[in-house]
Amino acid sequence: MKHAFEYDCLIVGGGIAGTVTAKQLQEKGYKVALIDERAPSRLHLAESLPATIEPLLQRLGLLELIKSPPHFKHTGMVSLWGSSVPQVMPSVAQHHGWKVDKWSIIEQIKSQLPSACVISGKVKAVAIQQNGWRCHIKKNGVKTDFEIHTRFLIDASGRQGYLPRVLNLHRHTFDKLSAFVANVTVHSPLDAQPSVVVEAFQDGWTLTSKISDNQSMVAIFCNQYTPEFSKFKYAKNWPEVANQTQWFKKVVSNGEFEVKILNASSHIVSQLSGKSWLLVGDAAMSFDPLSSHGMTTAIYMAEKAAHAIDRLFNGDNNALGQYSKTMADIYNSYLNELLGCYRLEQRFKDSKFWQSKQRFPVEEVRNIVS
């Protein structure tokens, strides 16, 4: 193995949390390596950001990025939740926020990083040393592996989490929610099409999220208590759910489309940081899409992670512990908020899906996160 390099920080994962963390650390003057093994996804996830995130985006130098296509202003959300009567959610500030193409903004942020910072490849192994980490890297398209020596290791590898597996950290999972997701063409643009529509049905809930005037992301959310829930990986079975809805059925036709299955459960890792490492984004804690917290919190965590690492490098040994405590407090509030949202739906009292979502154990996260 050849070519040992010295870095201040190595980041595992090139999603939104990893790229924003890399940008912040690089701007603070640190030498950063961002290891990204993800292939560009063809699936548009149509993420939503609230208007209240604008000051954060401004601080991070990201606000201007979302003011041009493919991103656009959020025109509001319609909810059929707890009632068969559509409810328009109240406006926040002058508009509801932003609809963001997640993969586009990630590439936009990467383009602001030095080319040497982003390495397309995979972390094959890591070993902790006295003054940092030795990392074995497999670079895409290159036969010879190499090592990177880094003072600090940041895991932004998503829900699967790289470091929790290496360090044998326990993951507290609060449910087993799955998302069956597809992008569909809207052949006849719907009148006054809202940005987001959520609808509850007997054994789960659906999401319709606008990507453009002629394309939407659609999803069915269910779990192991939904009868034969795995059948929804086939588009031909979606009309069974669509016929129980008002808006979803307008968008989901009987045509063929590719369905992806995504993990949509809520979890938090028992330890979010250590002497020379830290978890950020979904590698640390993940969110039910109903909450719309995922991308917003990932960006917030990235800012706080970069700040904590900078403080640590400047002699503040309490910085990482304060980061972990802040994130655990945020997650505890989220779980209680999420439980309240699910309990608003009282029409399907005999449904095992709704019973499971309205009774899942909300522990004090502070007691399970060190």
Side-chain angles (χ1 to χ4, degrees):
M1 195 182 303
K2 302 178 181 179
H3 308 303
F5 297 96
E6 299 295 335
Y7 286 86
D8 294 307
C9 298
L10 183 143
I11 302 171
V12 184
I16 189 65
T19 53
V20 174
T21 305
K23 181 177 185 294
Q24 291 299 294
L25 288 169
Q26 191 270 329
E27 290 176 352
K28 293 178 185 293
Y30 297 109
K31 189 177 181 182
V32 178
L34 177 67
I35 311 299
D36 182 15
E37 68 168 317
R38 301 188 187 197
S41 175
R42 293 183 298 170
L43 181 67
H44 295 278
L45 295 178
E47 300 276 356
S48 298
L49 297 177
T52 52
I53 199 176
E54 291 180 7
L56 171 60
L57 296 180
Q58 183 72 51
R59 290 198 304 272
L60 300 179
L62 303 178
L63 184 57
E64 292 304 312
L65 297 182
I66 66 172
K67 289 185 176 181
S68 59
H71 321 298
F72 56 91
K73 284 187 176 182
H74 198 316
T75 56
M77 185 174 83
V78 172
S79 169
L80 290 98
W81 194 275
S83 170
S84 59
V85 179
Q87 302 290 322
V88 178
M89 304 305 289
S91 175
V92 178
Q94 294 182 349
H95 57 83
H96 296 257
W98 298 92
K99 294 291 293 177
V100 175
D101 185 305
K102 182 177 180 179
W103 298 112
S104 292
I105 197 168
I106 288 172
E107 291 305 313
Q108 288 176 300
I109 298 169
K110 284 181 183 176
S111 70
Q112 298 180 352
L113 297 172
S115 58
C117 172
V118 182
I119 300 172
S120 179
K122 183 177 182 178
V123 178
K124 299 294 291 291
V126 296
I128 193 165
Q129 298 179 308
Q130 183 176 359
N131 296 317
W133 297 79
R134 186 178 73 250
C135 306
H136 177 188
I137 309 298
K138 173 65 176 177
K139 189 174 181 179
N140 293 343
V142 177
K143 292 183 178 180
T144 305
D145 298 348
F146 64 96
E147 282 187 353
I148 284 180
H149 293 177
T150 182
R151 295 167 61 190
F152 200 90
L153 190 60
I154 301 155
D155 186 356
S157 60
R159 285 176 178 266
Q160 295 303 312
Y162 180 74
L163 272 181
R165 287 180 280 125
V166 170
L167 300 176
N168 196 29
L169 303 176
H170 182 63
R171 179 181 308 190
H172 298 269
T173 301
F174 296 89
D175 57 30
K176 294 183 179 180
L177 191 68
S178 294
F180 298 86
V181 186
N183 293 153
V184 298
T185 299
V186 181
H187 296 287
S188 300
L190 302 171
D191 293 337
Q193 183 179 357
S195 291
V196 176
V197 181
V198 293
E199 297 181 78
F201 68 95
Q202 176 68 31
D203 295 302
W205 59 279
T206 67
L207 172 68
T208 305
S209 189
K210 181 179 178 181
I211 297 172
S212 65
D213 286 340
N214 56 12
Q215 190 178 33
S216 288
M217 184 203 81
V218 290
I220 297 173
F221 293 88
C222 50
N223 62 16
Q224 74 272 27
Y225 297 108
T226 301
E228 301 179 89
F229 82 102
S230 62
K231 66 186 176 184
F232 296 124
K233 63 185 177 181
Y234 303 109
K236 66 181 181 180
N237 296 320
W238 281 41
E240 179 180 326
V241 168
N243 290 334
Q244 301 178 54
T245 66
Q246 296 184 41
W247 187 271
F248 191 69
K249 68 181 179 184
K250 298 178 183 178
V251 182
V252 177
S253 66
N254 292 327
E256 289 295 321
F257 46 83
E258 184 179 6
V259 179
K260 297 287 187 181
I261 307 174
L262 304 178
N263 182 348
S265 62
S266 300
H267 85 265
I268 188 168
V269 178
S270 60
Q271 188 176 348
L272 303 183
S273 63
K275 180 181 177 181
S276 58
W277 61 269
L278 176 148
L279 309 181
V280 68
D282 284 347
M285 53 197 203
S286 64
F287 298 83
D288 187 313
L290 180 64
S291 70
S292 295
H293 283 340
M295 188 171 180
T296 300
T297 305
I299 295 171
Y300 177 78
M301 289 183 77
E303 181 191 42
K304 296 303 180 185
H307 182 59
I309 294 166
D310 182 47
R311 287 170 53 199
L312 176 70
F313 285 172
N314 284 283
D316 184 353
N317 293 325
N318 296 319
L320 299 185
Q322 291 173 1
Y323 167 83
S324 296
K325 180 182 182 304
T326 297
M327 297 309 142
D329 288 345
I330 287 172
Y331 205 77
N332 187 60
S333 296
Y334 150 75
L335 286 175
N336 283 284
E337 175 189 324
L338 182 68
L339 187 58
C341 287
Y342 274 105
R343 286 178 173 173
L344 290 175
E345 179 55 79
Q346 293 293 318
R347 290 176 294 169
F348 312 111
K349 293 185 179 295
D350 295 331
S351 166
K352 290 184 177 181
F353 169 85
W354 289 100
Q355 290 173 2
S356 70
K357 296 300 291 181
Q358 293 168 355
R359 297 175 184 170
F360 72 86
V362 177
E363 305 172 61
E364 283 289 332
V365 175
R366 288 187 298 272
N367 296 330
I368 61 176
V369 176
S370 58

